[in-house]
Structures are given as structure tokens and as C-alpha cells.
């Protein structure tokens, strides 16, 4: 039995192909049940996000090909289409893959936060339905720990990596919780909408949208559950705002220093955060000179984003180091589990010797009263127990040397070959794409 | 004996600094634990001194500084636990260390002169010290506010941006501790005035010097005006944020002056 991770991701497949193998459409439960009928794996977890579709399984060495066949059968795709896009990781490499996924190291945007939750819910589904077992349990809990550690101990997940989210992050640094704050959006284009959606997600109390054409402002206001005001009502809207987003297509600045001067007088000393994501600029740069105004332009936000991306890149090494350590720990645990069949065989061997000796002495013991015979049985059993106690404990504590110990014990005690199992798993694990394919992002 | 809390505070300062620089949550928890240990050790020390001399060790500037440090540590821990915000510790802990040097260098406890044997004296000193501890926190919050404000304003999001809570949170905490501090300052001054009137005829030159012209009393009154102004300005003319932060700084400079140079060299009424 080997641990396997088989699937496709944004690294190996295009969006179209990923969409066609999305397990999310019919639900993870249906996928898990269908996969179980194949009888390939004892334990299975299906992970499906918009960037990846993966099956974690515990199967024989040919199981990877079987899982690939399942992918094409279940989704009704020609196996030839999948060829070159499916990867398979085995043993410790499967663990490494999952740990990197959970840490956000394998994500399209490195360090993105959703993936850990998706891994958690994938495991929870499998576990609830009884498809997870001792190994997947340990594997996934280790993965959660890796994800958590990478997020808390490295800067991998820090800093916004999109312009609109960078604006939100800044707003939160100024105002704290954005619930209860008011925002004004000037413009009704794509960038206005994107930032508006982020603000809505932050539960901004009131959103006011103004645009040169009232109809488009109203359309966006409906979508964002805000209110639209005509263009000449902008000044009064600004007076009540904490956050102003400007994204109009105007050629000249629509927000001038004298406008904001007037606005600031009525609002006393309350900070105003102006985000100008229009190109060319909507806000006169002099607005930023006002004491309580924070003015950020598109270029400033872009600089922040590129700095954040650079910082994330600089944190990669420490994140990978955490993954390495945890993979090592998991591999050690996996190795130590392999000693279990040997321990069982050893105990059976001892019990076997005890039984045969008791049988051999049966005639000599026949004269003893039943209580005495029972006593003999008990004493011999206890001796065997005592003899095996320390070796059993020691064996269970072995890590990397498990295979060597198993070999030695098999030779010393002549444990039959049929009692050995799990040794087809080479330490370290192997990974290879099932067939060569172009790496796409 | 005063070395024990000093060592704890120094270790806590080092841990807060490490936490601030590397942001390892385990180091952060360790810092809190060390600081809590220091405050606990300090509590024992003050308790032992109380038992030893038979009254709370509040007589003399050194003892007052010691009690002040203890109250500041306690107040800071309260703020940290209630807001789950550790970043301020890096500013508070070094302040504790510097101040803790005073009692560590001069650990003697002055005997209590007959003049001070009044419950009003204890209430006066404890409220004043608690007010000053709150103002110290307000000062730290104000400084961090200005640092963060400058970073955001200048669009150089860096060191403080990633480590400090939001401007709003700092401002709210500042308002809270200034209000608490002002309340205790008011109480402390009122009780002090009441007590001064009671002891005015006492045959002690210090009792006679208890009036507004004494530098220590003048500084306390000045403090009261600064913080009253800060509170009124915040509610009436909306002076929050950076201006409130500056007022907290000015106020605390007066507090520090009251404490060290005035307390040691200039006052004629409060030189116990």
C-alpha cells in the first residue's frame, strides 16, 4: 500500500481542461462514492478547486494509472485528452505535494488564503463519509499544521496582491473594521465595480455611487446594494464619506483640491481615504497635501502589489523549509508504521513456539490438576509477553531504520515472507508525470 | 530585590523586540508570559515591603516610581489581553526597564513621616500614579499612531504598517486610556487638595509649602489642563487621531518632568 496523490492543476492543465474535471459540479460525495466502487484504494480524499482536481489515495503501485482512468471515466473525457496533464506523487512526495498545496506554495497566486480552507473541507467530507483512514487522517492534519505554520511564521500570505485588494487593506489599516464606514464610488466601470465588490464584502455601511450617466450608476448601485446619486450631488456625498474611490474615464481631474478643502471643513478632523484608480488621474495630486487626507493613486497601489509579491517570493525559502521538516516527520511516521506487520509476525512466532512447546509437554502435564495446568499456561504466556514488551516498544519508536530492523527480525526469527507487507514503498517517494506534457500556468 | 523585576522587564523587552521584528507568535506569547512574571514578582516585592514597613511603600520618589512601573505593567497587560494587540509592548517594555533602573539603584524604603499617616495620602498617591501610568500608555499609543500615520501618508508602507494595528484602533485605545487617566488624575488632585487642607497647620515645612506655587503641584495642575483639553477637543471640536496623539505626547512629557527632575530637585512640598 502506498500513499498517492494524482490529479491535475493550473501548473499542468488549461482552464478548459480543469473545468472539465471539476469534481465540484456533482459534489465531492458523489466522486468519493464512485471512486470507492473501483476498489483501488483503502482511503481516499478528493480535493477540487478551480485550480486543481486531485485524489489522495492509498493503493497498490498500479493505482496511479487506475486513478487516471477514473478521472477520465467519471468526467466522461477521452483518456488521450488527459494524457500529459496528470501528475502522480507517491509516498513522501505525495505528502510534500499536499503540504505545499495547503501552504499555498502551489497556488496560482502564491500564498493565497482560500486553499487551506478548501483542503480542510475536502478532508472533512471524506472523513464524514468514512473514506479517510489512519494514514490520510495523519496526512491531512499534518497538512493543516503546515498551512497554519507557513501563514503565521512566514510572510508568504501577507500583503495584498491585487490593486483593488491593496486598496481595501489600506482602508482597513486606517479605519480598522470597515463595517459602519461610508464609501463613495465615482464611476461605474469595471475597476469601480471590482473595488465596490471588495468593499461590499467588508460590510461597508453605506455605498454611494455617482457617475456621469445616472443609469450606469444605478445599475452598479443595485449590484452593490448601494445608492446612486446624480453627478451634481457628488460634493454632498463626499462630505459623509470615509473612503472615496474614483474610477471615471474623465480626461481631467474630477476631484479638485478646493472641493476636498470644502469637504474637510464640514467633517472636522476625520481622516478621508481617497483611492484614485483612474488613468488618467481623477484626483488632483494636491489633495494629498491636506492634513487628514490619504491619497493613493493607481501607481501607488501597483507599487504596493509588486512589493508584496516580491516579499512573498523572498519568503518562499522559509516556507519550503517548514514543508521539508514536516515531510520529514511524516515520512518518519510512515516508515515506523511499516514495522507493524513485523511486530505482529514476531508476536505470532513467539506464540506459536509457546503453543507447540505446551503441546509437546502435554503428556507430562496431563497428571496435573486443571488449576495447575491453567497456571502453567498463564505463566508461559506472561513470560512471552514480558520478553516481547521492550522490543515491541522499541520497534514502534524506530523511524528511518524501520526497514532495516524488519529485515533483521525476519532473518533472526525466520518470519515467513507472507507476513511481510508494505515494503514495496521505498523511502523518500517518487514523483513523475504520467506522461510528458507541456507545463502551462 | 528590585533587581528581580528589572531582569524580568528587561527579558520581556527583549522578547517584545524579537516578536516585533520577526513576528513569531510563540515569541509574542513568551513576551507576555515574561512580562506577567515580572509584574507578579513586582507584586510580591511591593507586598513584602508593605509587610516589612507596615504601610504601602509609596513614600519617596523612588517608591513612587516603583509603584508607577507596577501599575503601568498591569495596565499594559490589561490592554494587551483585552485587545489581543501585542505590538505596543515593544514601546512599553523598554519604558518599564528604564524606569525600573531607579528603584533598582536605590532600593531603600523611606519611613513614613507622621505627616503622611492618613488614608487620604494612599488614595492620592495611588490615583496619581494610576493616572500617570495611563498617560504613559496614551503616550506610547500616540507615538505609534504618528509613526503609522506618517508611513501611510508618505505611501512608504513598511515596518510599522505590517506590525501595528489600524490607526482607528490606536486612536480608540488612546481615547480610552486618556479618559481613564484623566478620571484618576482628577480624583488624585481633589483628594490631594483635601488632604493638604487637613494638614496645613501641621508642624512640617512641607505641609506649609502645599500650594499652587509648588512646582510639583503646578505640574500636576498643568497636566490636568492638558488632558482636559485633549478630552474636550476630542468630543467638541473633533480633535482625534494625530492631534490627540500629539496632546498625549505633550502631557506625558509634563508627567515625566513632574516625576524625575521636579520630584527629586525642585519641589518643596513633595520631597518625602
Amino acid at each position: 500500500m502506498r500513499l498517492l496523490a494524482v490529479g491535475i492543476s493550473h501548473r499542468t492543465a488549461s482552464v478548459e481542461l480543469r473545468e472539465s474535471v471539476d469534481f465540484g459540479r456533482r459534489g465531492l460525495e458523489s466522486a468519493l462514492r464512485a471512486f470507492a466502487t473501483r476498489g483501488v484504494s483503502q482511503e481516499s480524499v478528493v480535493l477540487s478547486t478551480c485550480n486543481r482536481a486531485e485524489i489522495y489515495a492509498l493503493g497498490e503501485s498500479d493505482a496511479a494509472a487506475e486513478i487516471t482512468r477514473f478521472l477520465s471515466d467519471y468526467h466522461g473525457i477521452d483518456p488521450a485528452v488527459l494524457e500529459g496533464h496528470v501528475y502522480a506523487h507517491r509516498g513522501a512526495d505525495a505528502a510534500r505535494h499536499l503540504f505545499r498545496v495547503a501552504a499555498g506554495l502551489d497556488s496560482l497566486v502564491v500564498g493565497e488564503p482560500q486553499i487551506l480552507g478548501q483542503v480542510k473541507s475536502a478532508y472533512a467530507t471524506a472523513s464524514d463519509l468514512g473514506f479517510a483512514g489512519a494514514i490520510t487522517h495523519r496526512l491531512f492534519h499534518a497538512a493543516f499544521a503546515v498551512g497554519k505554520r507557513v501563514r503565521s511564521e512566514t510572510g508568504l500570505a501577507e500583503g495584498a496582491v491585487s490593486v483593488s485588494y491593496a486598496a481595501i487593506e489600506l482602508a482597513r489599516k486606517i479605519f480598522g473594521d470597515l463595517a459602519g464606514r461610508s464609501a463613495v464610488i465615482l464611476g461605474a466601470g469595471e475597476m469601480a465595480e471590482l473595488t465596490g465588490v471588495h468593499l461590499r464584502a467588508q460590510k461597508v455601511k453605506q455605498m454611494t455611487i455617482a457617475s456621469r450617466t445616472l443609469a450606469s450608476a444605478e445599475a452598479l448601485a443595485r449590484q452593490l446594494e448601494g445608492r446612486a446619486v446624480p453627478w451634481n450631488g457628488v460634493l454632498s456625498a463626499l462630505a459623509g464619506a470615509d473612503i472615496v474611490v474614483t474610477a471615471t474615464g474623465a480626461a481631467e481631474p474630477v476631484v479638485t483640491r478646493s472641493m476636498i478643502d470644502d469637504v474637510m471643513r464640514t467633517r472636522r478632523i476625520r481622516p478621508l481615504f481617497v483611492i484614485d484608480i483612474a488613468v488618467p488621474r481623477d484626483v488632483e495630486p494636491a489633495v494629498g497635501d491636506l492634513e487628514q487626507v490619504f491619497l493613493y493613486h493607481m501607481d501607488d497601489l501597483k507599487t504596493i502589489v509588486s512589493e508584496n509579491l516580491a516579499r512573498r517570493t523572498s519568503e518562499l525559502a522559509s516556507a519550503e523549509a517548514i514543508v521539508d521538516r514536516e515531510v520529514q516527520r511524516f515520512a518518519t511516521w510512515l516508515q515506523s508504521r511499516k514495522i507493524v506487520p513485523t511486530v505482529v509476525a514476531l508476536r505470532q512466532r513467539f506464540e506459536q513456539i509457546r503453543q507447540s512447546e505446551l503441546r509437546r509437554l502435554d503428556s507430562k502435564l496431563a497428571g496435573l490438576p486443571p488449576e495447575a495446568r491453567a497456571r502453567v499456561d498463564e505463566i508461559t504466556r506472561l513470560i512471552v509477553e514480558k520478553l516481547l514488551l521492550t522490543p515491541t516498544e522499541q520497534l514502534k519508536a524506530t523511524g528511518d531504520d524501520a526497514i532495516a530492523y524488519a529485515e533483521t527480525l525476519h532473518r533472526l526469527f525466520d518470519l515467513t515472507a507472507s507476513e511481510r507487507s508494505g515494503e514495496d514503498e521505498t523511502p523518500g517517494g517518487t514523483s513523475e508525470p504520467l506522461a510528458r506534457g507541456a507545463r502551462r500556468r | 530585590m528590585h533587581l528581580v523585576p528589572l531582569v524580568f522587564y528587561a527579558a520581556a523587552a527583549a522578547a517584545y523586540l524579537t516578536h516585533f521584528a520577526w513576528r513569531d507568535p510563540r515569541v509574542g506569547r513568551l513576551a507576555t508570559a515574561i512580562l506577567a512574571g515580572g509584574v507578579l514578582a513586582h507584586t510580591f516585592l511591593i507586598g513584602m515591603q508593605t509587610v516589612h514597613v507596615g504601610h504601602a511603600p509609596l513614600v519617596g520618589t523612588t517608591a513612587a516610581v516603583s509603584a508607577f512601573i507596577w501599575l503601568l505593567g498591569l495596565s499594559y497587560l490589561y490592554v494587551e489581553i483585552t485587545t489581543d494587540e501585542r505590538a505596543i509592548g515593544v514601546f512599553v517594555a523598554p519604558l518599564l526597564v528604564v524606569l525600573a533602573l531607579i528603584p533598582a539603584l536605590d532600593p531603600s524604603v523611606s519611613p513614613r513621616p507622621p505627616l503622611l499617616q492618613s488614608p487620604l495620602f494612599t488614595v492620592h498617591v495611588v490615583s496619581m500614579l494610576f493616572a500617570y501610568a495611563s498617560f504613559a500608555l496614551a503616550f506610547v499609543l500616540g507615538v505609534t499612531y504618528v509613526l503609522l500615520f506618517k508611513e501611510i501618508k508618505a505611501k512608504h508602507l513598511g515596518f510599522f504598517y505590517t506590525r501595528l494595528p489600524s490607526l482607528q484602533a490606536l486612536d480608540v485605545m488612546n481615547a480610552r486610556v486618556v479618559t481613564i487617566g484623566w478620571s484618576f488624575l482628577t480624583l488624585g488632585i481633589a483628594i490631594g487638595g483635601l488632604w493638604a487642607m487637613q494638614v496645613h497647620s501641621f508642624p512640617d515645612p512641607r505641609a506649609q509649602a502645599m500650594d499652587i506655587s509648588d512646582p510639583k503641584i503646578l505640574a500636576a495642575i498643568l497636566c490636568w489642563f492638558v488632558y482636559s483639553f485633549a478630552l474636550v477637543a476630542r468630543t467638541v471640536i473633533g480633535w482625534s487621531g494625530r492631534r490627540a496623539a500629539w496632546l498625549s505626547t505633550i502631557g506625558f512629557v509634563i508627567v515625566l518632568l513632574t516625576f524625575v527632575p521636579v520630584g527629586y530637585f525642585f519641589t518643596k512640598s513633595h520631597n518625602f
Side-chain angles (χ1 to χ4, degrees):
Chain A
M1 285 293 152
R2 297 202 61 179
L3 182 62
L4 284 154
V6 180
I8 71 170
S9 76
H10 65 95
R11 291 192 189 280
T12 63
S14 63
V15 182
E16 295 76 33
L17 188 57
R18 295 203 305 270
E19 277 169 359
S20 64
V21 294
D22 182 10
F23 286 108
R25 280 174 304 163
R26 276 188 277 163
L28 293 183
E29 181 171 350
S30 132
L32 283 161
R33 292 200 192 284
F35 183 56
T37 59
R38 296 289 181 115
V40 181
S41 170
Q42 293 173 346
E43 301 179 14
S44 41
V45 176
V46 174
L47 173 64
S48 185
T49 73
C50 49
N51 284 323
R52 66 184 69 248
E54 290 174 343
I55 294 180
Y56 292 86
L58 200 63
E60 300 300 338
S61 31
D62 61 343
E66 193 57 45
I67 295 169
T68 311
R69 266 197 294 284
F70 170 75
L71 279 177
S72 62
D73 292 352
Y74 184 76
H75 295 291
I77 319 169
D78 183 0
V81 174
L82 282 177
E83 200 173 307
H85 299 294
V86 178
Y87 49 80
H89 301 286
R90 296 179 174 80
D93 274 345
R96 177 183 302 278
H97 179 73
L98 178 63
F99 293 177
R100 294 187 77 248
V101 166
L105 283 164
D106 199 48
S107 297
L108 193 58
V109 177
V110 170
E112 60 96 2
Q114 280 95 30
I115 185 67
L116 184 59
Q118 289 162 334
V119 171
K120 280 184 178 168
S121 72
Y123 169 73
T125 309
S127 180
D128 290 347
L129 298 169
F131 292 110
I135 292 187
T136 37
H137 179 80
R138 177 93 178 201
L139 174 72
F140 276 80
H141 279 88
F144 304 156
V146 171
K148 223 176 126 187
R149 279 190 62 192
V150 166
R151 274 163 185 76
S152 66
E153 292 171 31
T154 76
L156 194 74
E158 270 176 17
V161 287
S162 72
V163 165
S164 49
Y165 201 74
I168 299 295
E169 216 177 58
L170 269 164
R172 288 170 56 90
K173 208 64 182 182
I174 297 168
F175 299 114
D177 193 1
L178 296 187
R181 297 285 168 180
S182 307
V184 170
I185 300 176
L186 303 184
E190 196 188 338
M191 280 309 282
E193 181 189 335
L194 198 56
T195 315
V197 168
H198 277 306
L199 286 168
R200 171 56 49 227
Q202 297 290 326
K203 300 192 170 57
V204 167
K205 185 180 73 184
Q206 190 177 41
M207 242 191 284
T208 311
I209 295 113
S211 173
R212 295 268 188 210
T213 43
L214 188 58
S216 51
E218 279 168 347
L220 186 56
R222 267 193 301 281
Q223 192 199 330
L224 299 174
E225 299 166 36
R227 68 185 176 106
V229 294
W231 191 251
N232 55 21
V234 165
L235 208 57
S236 63
L238 289 179
D242 298 301
I243 301 161
V244 177
V245 180
T246 65
T248 76
E252 294 293 316
V254 295
V255 177
T256 60
R257 161 91 191 229
S258 65
M259 274 169 80
I260 299 295
D261 253 340
D262 289 346
V263 165
M264 293 312 284
R265 258 196 288 282
T266 59
R267 44 188 292 129
R268 300 195 302 194
I269 298 159
R270 211 173 65 189
L272 180 69
F273 180 31
V274 183
I275 308 150
D276 182 2
I277 43 179
V279 179
R281 285 191 264 196
D282 272 345
V283 183
E284 276 184 2
V287 167
D289 300 338
L290 290 165
E291 187 194 333
Q292 292 293 327
V293 177
F294 299 98
L295 171 63
Y296 275 71
H297 182 242
M298 188 65 160
D299 289 344
D300 305 324
L301 297 173
K302 277 186 176 156
T303 311
I304 295 171
V305 165
S306 62
E307 280 170 5
N308 286 346
L309 282 171
R311 199 164 52 230
R312 286 189 181 198
T313 312
S314 71
E315 294 290 327
L316 280 176
S318 42
E320 293 283 6
I322 292 175
V323 168
D324 279 344
R325 275 197 297 277
E326 293 298 321
V327 167
Q328 193 56 48
R329 274 180 60 183
F330 182 77
T332 306
W333 177 79
L334 211 56
Q335 290 288 347
S336 73
R337 273 184 62 86
K338 277 181 230 144
I339 204 77
V340 172
T342 306
V343 172
V344 172
L346 187 66
R347 299 185 80 90
Q348 281 170 354
R349 185 97 184 97
F350 273 50
E351 180 63 14
Q352 206 182 339
I353 293 166
R354 187 177 77 90
Q355 294 290 352
S356 69
E357 283 308 295
L358 283 175
R359 269 197 303 279
R360 199 169 60 78
L361 296 171
D362 204 29
S363 55
K364 290 185 180 157
L365 298 173
L368 294 176
E371 310 90 74
R373 289 189 62 161
R375 183 80 43 88
V376 169
D377 187 69
E378 179 68 14
I379 288 167
T380 52
R381 201 182 57 74
L382 278 175
I383 290 171
V384 168
E385 280 292 320
K386 285 259 161 73
L387 282 173
L388 282 171
L389 184 66
T390 313
T392 306
E393 279 172 354
Q394 295 291 337
L395 282 170
K396 281 184 177 162
T398 56
D400 289 344
D401 308 328
I403 297 281
Y405 274 109
E407 289 294 337
T408 313
L409 284 166
H410 279 278
R411 183 139 344 142
L412 283 177
F413 293 99
D414 190 24
L415 305 175
T416 45
S418 63
E419 283 154 351
R420 300 161 69 175
S421 68
E423 60 185 316
D424 54 338
E425 189 162 335
T426 49
T430 53
S431 295
E432 85 276 356
L434 289 180
R436 295 272 160 251
R439 283 169 92 85
R440 284 186 225 164
R441 277 185 170 260
Chain B
M1 269 312 279
H2 271 286
L3 276 175
V4 178
L6 176 66
V7 168
F8 267 105
Y9 293 143
Y16 274 111
L17 207 67
T18 316
H19 169 64
F20 198 70
W22 305 106
R23 282 175 296 159
D24 187 332
R26 289 169 299 183
V27 179
R29 284 192 291 274
L30 181 71
T32 307
I34 298 173
L35 183 60
V39 171
L40 202 66
H42 203 158
T43 312
F44 272 115
L45 184 67
I46 291 177
M48 273 167 58
Q49 286 178 333
T50 308
V51 173
H52 186 68
V53 298
H55 57 85
L58 296 168
V59 181
T61 304
T62 304
V65 169
S66 170
F68 169 76
I69 299 160
W70 179 70
L71 285 167
L72 178 58
L74 215 58
S75 327
Y76 168 72
L77 280 177
Y78 169 76
V79 170
E80 188 191 295
I81 290 161
T82 48
T83 58
D84 204 22
E85 211 34 88
R86 247 186 211 105
I88 310 301
V90 75
F91 301 93
V92 175
L95 191 64
L96 292 177
V97 177
V98 172
L99 289 172
L101 284 172
I102 297 172
L105 293 173
D106 172 23
S108 62
V109 180
S110 317
R112 189 161 62 165
L115 180 62
L116 304 181
Q117 282 166 8
S118 156
L120 285 181
F121 164 75
T122 310
V123 177
H124 164 69
V125 173
V126 171
S127 347
M128 293 304 270
L129 291 177
F130 194 70
Y132 292 160
S134 306
F135 295 147
L137 277 181
F139 161 71
V140 167
L141 288 163
V143 168
T144 51
Y145 186 97
V146 172
L147 290 172
L148 183 59
F149 188 97
K150 289 212 160 127
E151 272 200 3
I152 300 180
K153 185 85 179 166
K155 303 172 187 179
H156 287 301
L157 309 183
F159 198 70
F160 297 109
Y161 181 78
T162 46
R163 288 167 173 82
L164 291 176
S166 67
L167 286 175
Q168 172 71 15
L170 290 169
D171 192 37
V172 167
M173 282 196 263
N174 179 288
R176 200 186 301 166
V177 293
V178 167
T179 310
I180 295 173
W182 181 85
S183 311
F184 278 94
L185 184 66
T186 310
L187 179 75
I189 292 176
I191 299 278
L194 198 66
W195 171 71
M197 279 193 282
Q198 278 183 6
V199 299
H200 209 67
S201 56
F202 219 80
D204 188 316
R206 291 176 294 201
Q208 265 93 55
M210 295 276 180
D211 64 48
I212 194 91
S213 63
D214 183 77
K216 180 107 178 173
I217 297 172
L218 194 64
I221 306 272
L222 193 60
C223 247
W224 187 84
F225 276 109
V226 169
Y227 288 104
S228 303
F229 177 71
L231 285 180
V232 170
R234 182 183 281 278
T235 44
V236 179
I237 48 175
W239 273 30
S240 59
R242 210 156 62 129
R243 296 196 187 176
W246 281 116
L247 283 176
S248 313
T249 311
I250 296 167
F252 188 65
V253 168
I254 302 173
V255 169
L256 276 186
L257 289 178
T258 318
F259 239 118
V260 187
V262 173
Y264 274 105
F265 307 114
F266 299 120
T267 180
K268 290 183 182 67
S269 65
H270 279 66
N271 49 342
F272 294 104

